[in-house]
Amino acid sequence: MTSGDQHRDAPAAPALRSDAERNRERIIAAARTVFARDGLDASMASVAREAGVGIATMFRRFPTKAELVDAVFIDRMDAYADAVTTALDDPDPWHGFVGYVEDVCAMQAADYGFADVLTTSFPAAKALERRRNEAYEGMVELIGRAKATGRLRADFDPSDLVLVHMANAGVVNATGDAAPDAWRRVVALLIQSFEAPARGSLPASPDHDALYRAMLRPGPSGAAAPDPGR
């Protein structure tokens, strides 16, 4: 290769990087649309079709579904963590607690994918899990404050909020566009059951490790190439 050939070829590398970045952003935008509409069970192939890219390009940018989920939902998880911070800033802890439950359930109702994300753990999605853990710590503090006011029943456990998100995700996914506000009644019923004085004792809360295992999504369809990934 002559020096002239080298000079002519030199600008090609930045162009390739630019194309790769455009493909990445196109895939993320498509995944937001597909996951919001179909939830996390949507395949990587359906995201590739929505983005107008080949499946090989998809997996070059995002080798696993967890990496794609991390990129798509980190901003939603930031909003989730911000909801906890807003609730902790409320001078009335019970009001803050109720507002937090309602706000997060509304986030789930607005996006089927995020409804699934809140009830699914992706160990490989590092940024997503870090923000989830930060939000969980704030949530535990919020629950303690609400209990201290005497408004939140004493036997309420942090795992109960995980169950609320699971229940709400089920309602949101089951009712869809046919009854889009059904989740509001379910959440109101649940909040009223949380308020003290309790009208009866509750069964034991699920073991926290068992609940975490329930949140692990074992290799959804199209999670990775060539084998499914977490």
Side-chain angles (χ1 to χ4, degrees), residues 133-207:
N133 290 336
E134 291 169 0
Y136 181 82
E137 292 173 4
M139 187 180 71
V140 171
E141 181 180 352
L142 178 64
I143 289 169
R145 291 185 188 182
K147 283 184 180 180
T149 67
R151 297 290 302 279
L152 179 62
R153 58 186 301 157
D155 56 356
F156 188 90
D157 186 85
S159 65
D160 292 327
L161 274 184
V162 178
L163 297 177
V164 168
H165 297 328
M166 287 180 169
N168 190 53
V171 171
V172 166
N173 283 302
T175 56
D177 294 335
D181 291 328
W183 67 272
R184 296 183 185 277
R185 183 173 179 87
V186 174
V187 170
L189 289 167
L190 290 171
I191 288 172
Q192 289 180 31
S193 74
F194 301 155
E195 192 167 7
R199 290 168 175 76
S201 59
L202 293 172
S205 61
D207 177 80

Coordinates of all heavy atoms in Angstrom, one line a residue, residues 133-207:
N133 N -30.6 -0.8 43.6 CA -30.2 -1.0 45.0 C -30.1 0.3 45.8 O -30.5 0.3 47.0 CB -28.8 -1.6 45.0 CG -28.8 -3.0 44.5 OD1 -29.8 -3.7 44.6 ND2 -27.6 -3.5 44.0
E134 N -29.7 1.4 45.1 CA -29.8 2.7 45.8 C -31.2 3.1 46.2 O -31.5 3.6 47.3 CB -29.2 3.8 44.9 CG -27.7 3.7 44.7 CD -27.2 4.6 43.6 OE1 -28.0 5.3 43.0 OE2 -25.9 4.5 43.3
A135 N -32.1 2.9 45.2 CA -33.5 3.2 45.5 C -34.1 2.3 46.6 O -34.9 2.8 47.4 CB -34.4 3.0 44.2
Y136 N -33.7 1.0 46.6 CA -34.1 0.1 47.7 C -33.7 0.6 49.1 O -34.5 0.6 50.0 CB -33.6 -1.3 47.4 CG -34.1 -2.3 48.5 CD1 -35.3 -2.9 48.3 CD2 -33.3 -2.6 49.6 CE1 -35.8 -3.8 49.3 CE2 -33.7 -3.6 50.5 CZ -35.0 -4.2 50.3 OH -35.4 -5.1 51.3
E137 N -32.5 1.1 49.2 CA -32.1 1.6 50.5 C -32.9 2.8 50.9 O -33.3 2.9 52.1 CB -30.6 2.0 50.4 CG -29.6 0.8 50.2 CD -28.2 1.2 50.0 OE1 -27.9 2.4 50.0 OE2 -27.4 0.3 49.8
G138 N -33.2 3.7 50.0 CA -34.1 4.8 50.3 C -35.5 4.4 50.7 O -36.1 4.9 51.6
M139 N -36.0 3.3 50.0 CA -37.3 2.8 50.2 C -37.4 2.2 51.7 O -38.4 2.4 52.4 CB -37.6 1.8 49.2 CG -39.0 1.2 49.2 SD -39.2 0.0 47.9 CE -38.3 -1.4 48.6
V140 N -36.3 1.5 52.1 CA -36.3 1.0 53.5 C -36.4 2.1 54.5 O -37.2 2.0 55.5 CB -35.1 0.1 53.7 CG1 -34.9 -0.3 55.2 CG2 -35.1 -1.1 52.8
E141 N -35.7 3.2 54.2 CA -35.7 4.3 55.1 C -37.1 5.0 55.1 O -37.7 5.3 56.2 CB -34.7 5.4 54.7 CG -34.7 6.6 55.6 CD -33.6 7.6 55.2 OE1 -32.8 7.3 54.3 OE2 -33.7 8.7 55.8
L142 N -37.7 5.1 54.0 CA -39.1 5.7 53.9 C -40.1 4.8 54.6 O -40.9 5.4 55.4 CB -39.5 5.7 52.4 CG -40.9 6.2 52.0 CD1 -41.0 7.7 52.5 CD2 -41.1 6.1 50.5
I143 N -40.0 3.5 54.5 CA -40.9 2.6 55.3 C -40.7 2.8 56.8 O -41.7 2.9 57.5 CB -40.7 1.2 54.8 CG1 -41.1 0.9 53.4 CG2 -41.4 0.2 55.8 CD1 -40.7 -0.4 52.8
G144 N -39.5 2.9 57.2 CA -39.3 3.1 58.6 C -39.9 4.4 59.2 O -40.5 4.5 60.2
R145 N -39.7 5.5 58.4 CA -40.3 6.8 58.8 C -41.8 6.7 58.8 O -42.5 7.2 59.7 CB -39.9 7.8 57.8 CG -38.4 8.2 57.8 CD -38.1 9.4 56.9 NE -36.7 9.7 56.7 CZ -36.3 10.7 56.0 NH1 -37.1 11.4 55.3 NH2 -35.0 10.9 55.9
A146 N -42.4 6.1 57.8 CA -43.9 6.0 57.8 C -44.4 5.1 58.9 O -45.5 5.5 59.5 CB -44.3 5.4 56.4
K147 N -43.7 4.1 59.3 CA -44.1 3.3 60.5 C -44.0 4.2 61.7 O -44.8 4.0 62.6 CB -43.2 2.1 60.6 CG -43.5 1.0 59.6 CD -42.6 -0.2 60.0 CE -42.9 -1.4 59.0 NZ -42.0 -2.6 59.3
A148 N -43.0 5.0 61.8 CA -42.8 5.8 63.1 C -43.9 6.8 63.3 O -44.2 7.2 64.4 CB -41.4 6.5 63.0
T149 N -44.6 7.2 62.2 CA -45.7 8.1 62.4 C -47.0 7.3 62.9 O -47.9 8.0 63.3 CB -46.1 8.7 61.0 OG1 -46.6 7.7 60.2 CG2 -44.9 9.4 60.4
G150 N -46.9 6.0 62.9 CA -48.1 5.2 63.3 C -49.1 5.1 62.2 O -50.2 4.4 62.4
R151 N -48.9 5.6 61.0 CA -49.8 5.4 59.9 C -49.6 4.2 59.1 O -50.6 3.6 58.5 CB -49.7 6.7 59.0 CG -50.1 8.0 59.6 CD -51.6 8.1 59.9 NE -52.4 8.0 58.7 CZ -52.7 8.9 57.8 NH1 -52.1 10.1 58.0 NH2 -53.5 8.7 56.8
L152 N -48.4 3.7 59.0 CA -48.1 2.5 58.2 C -48.1 1.3 59.2 O -47.4 1.3 60.3 CB -46.8 2.6 57.5 CG -46.3 1.4 56.7 CD1 -47.3 1.0 55.6 CD2 -44.9 1.6 56.1
R153 N -48.8 0.2 58.9 CA -48.9 -0.9 59.8 C -47.5 -1.4 60.2 O -46.6 -1.5 59.3 CB -49.8 -2.0 59.2 CG -49.3 -2.5 57.9 CD -50.3 -3.5 57.3 NE -50.6 -4.7 58.1 CZ -51.6 -5.5 58.1 NH1 -52.6 -5.2 57.3 NH2 -51.7 -6.5 58.9
A154 N -47.4 -1.9 61.4 CA -46.1 -2.2 61.9 C -45.5 -3.5 61.3 O -44.2 -3.6 61.3 CB -46.2 -2.5 63.4
D155 N -46.3 -4.4 60.7 CA -45.8 -5.6 60.1 C -45.5 -5.5 58.6 O -45.2 -6.4 58.0 CB -46.7 -6.8 60.4 CG -48.1 -6.6 59.9 OD1 -48.4 -5.4 59.4 OD2 -48.9 -7.5 60.0
F156 N -45.6 -4.2 58.1 CA -45.2 -4.0 56.7 C -43.7 -4.3 56.5 O -42.9 -3.8 57.3 CB -45.6 -2.6 56.3 CG -45.5 -2.4 54.8 CD1 -46.6 -2.6 53.9 CD2 -44.3 -1.9 54.2 CE1 -46.5 -2.4 52.6 CE2 -44.2 -1.7 52.9 CZ -45.3 -2.0 52.0
D157 N -43.4 -5.0 55.4 CA -42.0 -5.4 55.2 C -41.6 -4.8 53.8 O -42.5 -4.7 52.9 CB -41.9 -6.9 55.1 CG -40.5 -7.4 55.0 OD1 -39.8 -7.5 56.0 OD2 -40.0 -7.6 53.8
P158 N -40.3 -4.4 53.6 CA -39.9 -3.9 52.3 C -40.2 -4.8 51.2 O -40.5 -4.4 50.0 CB -38.4 -3.7 52.5 CG -38.2 -3.4 53.9 CD -39.3 -4.3 54.6
S159 N -40.2 -6.1 51.4 CA -40.6 -7.1 50.3 C -42.0 -6.9 49.9 O -42.4 -7.3 48.8 CB -40.3 -8.5 50.8 OG -41.2 -8.9 51.9
D160 N -42.9 -6.3 50.7 CA -44.3 -6.1 50.3 C -44.4 -5.1 49.2 O -45.3 -5.2 48.3 CB -45.1 -5.6 51.5 CG -45.2 -6.6 52.6 OD1 -45.3 -7.8 52.3 OD2 -45.3 -6.2 53.8
L161 N -43.4 -4.2 49.1 CA -43.5 -3.2 48.0 C -43.1 -4.0 46.7 O -43.6 -3.6 45.6 CB -42.6 -2.0 48.2 CG -43.2 -0.9 49.0 CD1 -42.2 0.3 49.1 CD2 -44.5 -0.4 48.3
V162 N -42.1 -4.9 46.8 CA -41.8 -5.7 45.6 C -43.0 -6.5 45.1 O -43.3 -6.6 43.9 CB -40.7 -6.7 45.9 CG1 -40.3 -7.6 44.7 CG2 -39.4 -6.0 46.4
L163 N -43.8 -7.0 46.1 CA -45.0 -7.7 45.7 C -46.1 -6.8 45.1 O -46.8 -7.2 44.2 CB -45.6 -8.4 47.0 CG -44.7 -9.5 47.6 CD1 -45.4 -10.1 48.9 CD2 -44.5 -10.7 46.6
V164 N -46.1 -5.6 45.6 CA -47.0 -4.6 45.0 C -46.6 -4.3 43.5 O -47.5 -4.3 42.7 CB -46.9 -3.2 45.8 CG1 -47.7 -2.1 45.0 CG2 -47.6 -3.4 47.1
H165 N -45.4 -4.2 43.3 CA -44.9 -4.0 41.9 C -45.2 -5.2 41.0 O -45.6 -5.0 39.8 CB -43.4 -3.6 41.8 CG -43.1 -2.4 42.5 ND1 -43.9 -1.3 42.6 CD2 -41.9 -2.0 43.2 CE1 -43.3 -0.3 43.3 NE2 -42.1 -0.7 43.7
M166 N -45.1 -6.4 41.6 CA -45.4 -7.6 40.8 C -46.9 -7.6 40.5 O -47.3 -8.0 39.4 CB -45.0 -8.8 41.6 CG -43.5 -9.1 41.7 SD -43.1 -10.6 42.6 CE -41.3 -10.8 42.2
A167 N -47.7 -7.3 41.5 CA -49.1 -7.4 41.4 C -49.6 -6.3 40.3 O -50.4 -6.6 39.5 CB -49.9 -7.1 42.7
N168 N -49.0 -5.1 40.4 CA -49.4 -4.1 39.5 C -49.0 -4.4 38.1 O -49.7 -4.1 37.1 CB -48.8 -2.7 40.0 CG -49.3 -1.6 39.2 OD1 -50.5 -1.4 39.1 ND2 -48.4 -0.8 38.6
A169 N -47.8 -5.0 37.9 CA -47.3 -5.4 36.6 C -48.3 -6.4 36.0 O -48.6 -6.3 34.8 CB -45.9 -6.0 36.7
G170 N -48.8 -7.3 36.8 CA -49.7 -8.3 36.3 C -51.0 -7.6 35.9 O -51.6 -8.0 34.8
V171 N -51.5 -6.7 36.7 CA -52.8 -6.0 36.3 C -52.6 -5.2 35.0 O -53.4 -5.2 34.1 CB -53.2 -5.1 37.5 CG1 -54.4 -4.2 37.0 CG2 -53.6 -5.9 38.7
V172 N -51.5 -4.5 35.0 CA -51.2 -3.6 33.8 C -51.1 -4.5 32.5 O -51.7 -4.1 31.5 CB -49.9 -2.8 34.0 CG1 -49.4 -2.2 32.7 CG2 -50.1 -1.7 35.0
N173 N -50.4 -5.6 32.6 CA -50.2 -6.4 31.4 C -51.5 -7.2 31.1 O -51.8 -7.4 29.9 CB -49.1 -7.4 31.7 CG -47.7 -6.8 31.5 OD1 -47.4 -6.3 30.5 ND2 -46.9 -6.9 32.6
A174 N -52.3 -7.5 32.1 CA -53.6 -8.2 31.8 C -54.7 -7.3 31.2 O -55.5 -7.7 30.4 CB -54.1 -8.9 33.1
T175 N -54.8 -6.1 31.7 CA -55.9 -5.2 31.3 C -55.5 -4.4 30.0 O -56.4 -4.1 29.2 CB -56.2 -4.2 32.4 OG1 -55.1 -3.5 32.8 CG2 -56.8 -5.0 33.6
G176 N -54.3 -4.0 29.9 CA -53.8 -3.3 28.7 C -54.7 -2.1 28.3 O -55.1 -1.4 29.2
D177 N -54.9 -2.0 27.0 CA -55.7 -0.8 26.6 C -57.2 -1.0 26.8 O -58.0 -0.1 26.8 CB -55.5 -0.6 25.1 CG -54.1 -0.2 24.7 OD1 -53.5 0.4 25.6 OD2 -53.7 -0.4 23.6
A178 N -57.6 -2.2 27.2 CA -59.1 -2.5 27.4 C -59.6 -1.8 28.7 O -60.7 -1.3 28.7 CB -59.3 -4.0 27.5
A179 N -58.7 -1.8 29.7 CA -59.1 -1.1 31.0 C -57.9 -0.5 31.5 O -57.3 -0.9 32.5 CB -59.7 -2.1 32.0
P180 N -57.4 0.6 30.9 CA -56.1 1.2 31.2 C -55.9 1.8 32.6 O -54.8 1.9 33.1 CB -55.9 2.2 30.1 CG -57.2 2.6 29.7 CD -58.0 1.3 29.8
D181 N -57.0 2.1 33.3 CA -57.0 2.6 34.6 C -57.3 1.6 35.7 O -57.4 2.0 36.9 CB -57.9 3.8 34.7 CG -57.4 5.0 33.9 OD1 -56.2 5.2 33.7 OD2 -58.3 5.8 33.4
A182 N -57.4 0.4 35.4 CA -57.8 -0.6 36.4 C -56.7 -0.7 37.5 O -57.1 -0.9 38.7 CB -57.9 -2.0 35.7
W183 N -55.5 -0.4 37.2 CA -54.4 -0.5 38.2 C -54.6 0.5 39.3 O -54.2 0.2 40.4 CB -53.1 -0.3 37.5 CG -52.9 1.1 37.0 CD1 -53.2 1.6 35.8 CD2 -52.3 2.2 37.7 NE1 -52.9 2.9 35.7 CE2 -52.3 3.4 36.8 CE3 -51.8 2.4 39.0 CZ2 -51.9 4.6 37.2 CZ3 -51.3 3.6 39.4 CH2 -51.4 4.7 38.5
R184 N -55.3 1.6 39.0 CA -55.5 2.6 40.0 C -56.3 2.1 41.2 O -56.0 2.4 42.4 CB -56.1 3.9 39.4 CG -55.2 4.6 38.4 CD -55.9 5.9 37.9 NE -55.1 6.5 36.8 CZ -54.1 7.3 37.0 NH1 -53.7 7.6 38.2 NH2 -53.4 7.8 36.0
R185 N -57.4 1.4 40.8 CA -58.2 0.8 41.9 C -57.5 -0.2 42.7 O -57.6 -0.2 43.9 CB -59.5 0.2 41.3 CG -60.5 -0.3 42.3 CD -61.8 -0.8 41.7 NE -62.7 -1.3 42.7 CZ -63.5 -0.5 43.4 NH1 -63.6 0.8 43.2 NH2 -64.3 -1.1 44.3
V186 N -56.7 -1.1 42.0 CA -56.0 -2.1 42.8 C -55.0 -1.4 43.7 O -54.8 -1.8 44.9 CB -55.2 -3.0 41.8 CG1 -54.3 -4.0 42.5 CG2 -56.2 -3.8 40.9
V187 N -54.3 -0.4 43.2 CA -53.3 0.3 44.1 C -53.9 0.9 45.3 O -53.4 0.9 46.4 CB -52.4 1.3 43.3 CG1 -51.6 2.1 44.1 CG2 -51.6 0.5 42.3
A188 N -55.1 1.6 45.0 CA -55.8 2.2 46.1 C -56.3 1.2 47.2 O -56.2 1.5 48.4 CB -57.0 3.0 45.6
L189 N -56.7 0.0 46.7 CA -57.1 -1.0 47.7 C -55.9 -1.5 48.5 O -56.0 -1.7 49.7 CB -57.7 -2.2 46.9 CG -59.1 -2.0 46.3 CD1 -59.4 -3.1 45.3 CD2 -60.2 -1.9 47.4
L190 N -54.8 -1.6 47.8 CA -53.6 -2.1 48.5 C -53.1 -1.0 49.6 O -52.8 -1.4 50.7 CB -52.4 -2.3 47.5 CG -52.6 -3.6 46.6 CD1 -51.6 -3.6 45.5 CD2 -52.6 -4.8 47.5
I191 N -53.1 0.2 49.2 CA -52.7 1.3 50.1 C -53.6 1.3 51.3 O -53.1 1.5 52.5 CB -52.6 2.7 49.4 CG1 -51.5 2.7 48.4 CG2 -52.5 3.8 50.4 CD1 -51.5 4.0 47.5
Q192 N -54.8 1.2 51.1 CA -55.7 1.2 52.3 C -55.5 0.0 53.2 O -55.6 0.1 54.4 CB -57.2 1.2 51.8 CG -57.6 2.5 51.2 CD -59.1 2.4 50.7 OE1 -59.9 1.7 51.3 NE2 -59.4 3.2 49.6
S193 N -55.0 -1.1 52.6 CA -54.7 -2.3 53.5 C -53.4 -2.1 54.3 O -53.2 -2.8 55.2 CB -54.6 -3.5 52.6 OG -53.4 -3.5 51.9
F194 N -52.6 -1.1 53.8 CA -51.3 -0.9 54.5 C -51.4 0.0 55.7 O -50.6 0.0 56.6 CB -50.3 -0.2 53.6 CG -50.0 -1.0 52.3 CD1 -49.5 -0.3 51.2 CD2 -50.1 -2.3 52.3 CE1 -49.2 -1.0 50.0 CE2 -49.8 -3.0 51.1 CZ -49.3 -2.4 50.0
E195 N -52.6 0.8 55.8 CA -52.7 1.8 56.8 C -53.0 1.2 58.2 O -53.8 0.2 58.3 CB -53.7 2.8 56.4 CG -53.7 4.1 57.3 CD -54.5 5.2 56.7 OE1 -55.2 5.0 55.7 OE2 -54.5 6.3 57.2
A196 N -52.4 1.7 59.2 CA -52.7 1.3 60.6 C -54.0 2.0 61.0 O -54.3 3.1 60.5 CB -51.6 1.6 61.5
P197 N -54.8 1.4 61.9 CA -54.5 0.1 62.6 C -54.8 -1.0 61.7 O -55.8 -1.0 60.9 CB -55.5 0.2 63.8 CG -56.6 1.0 63.3 CD -56.0 2.1 62.5
A198 N -54.0 -2.1 61.7 CA -54.2 -3.3 60.9 C -55.5 -4.0 61.4 O -55.8 -4.0 62.6 CB -53.0 -4.2 61.1
R199 N -56.2 -4.5 60.4 CA -57.4 -5.2 60.8 C -57.2 -6.7 61.0 O -58.2 -7.5 61.2 CB -58.5 -5.0 59.7 CG -59.0 -3.6 59.6 CD -59.7 -3.2 58.4 NE -60.3 -1.9 58.4 CZ -59.6 -0.8 58.2 NH1 -58.4 -0.8 58.0 NH2 -60.2 0.4 58.3
G200 N -56.0 -7.2 61.0 CA -55.7 -8.6 61.2 C -54.2 -8.8 60.9 O -53.5 -7.9 60.3
S201 N -53.7 -9.9 61.3 CA -52.3 -10.2 61.0 C -52.1 -10.7 59.6 O -53.1 -11.2 59.0 CB -51.8 -11.3 62.0 OG -52.6 -12.5 61.9
L202 N -50.9 -10.6 59.2 CA -50.6 -11.1 57.8 C -49.8 -12.4 57.8 O -49.1 -12.7 58.8 CB -49.7 -10.0 57.1 CG -50.3 -8.7 56.8 CD1 -49.2 -7.7 56.3 CD2 -51.4 -8.8 55.7
P203 N -49.8 -13.2 56.8 CA -48.9 -14.3 56.7 C -47.5 -13.8 56.7 O -47.2 -12.7 56.4 CB -49.3 -15.0 55.3 CG -50.7 -14.4 55.0 CD -50.7 -13.1 55.6
A204 N -46.6 -14.7 56.9 CA -45.2 -14.3 56.9 C -44.8 -13.8 55.5 O -45.3 -14.3 54.5 CB -44.3 -15.6 57.3
S205 N -43.9 -12.8 55.5 CA -43.4 -12.3 54.2 C -42.5 -13.3 53.6 O -41.9 -14.1 54.3 CB -42.6 -11.0 54.5 OG -41.5 -11.2 55.3
P206 N -42.4 -13.3 52.3 CA -41.5 -14.3 51.6 C -40.1 -14.0 52.0 O -39.6 -12.9 52.3 CB -41.7 -14.0 50.1 CG -42.3 -12.6 50.1 CD -43.0 -12.4 51.3
D207 N -39.3 -15.1 52.0 CA -37.9 -15.0 52.3 C -37.2 -14.1 51.2 O -37.5 -14.2 50.0 CB -37.2 -16.4 52.2 CG -35.7 -16.4 52.3 OD1 -35.3 -16.3 53.5 OD2 -35.0 -16.5 51.3

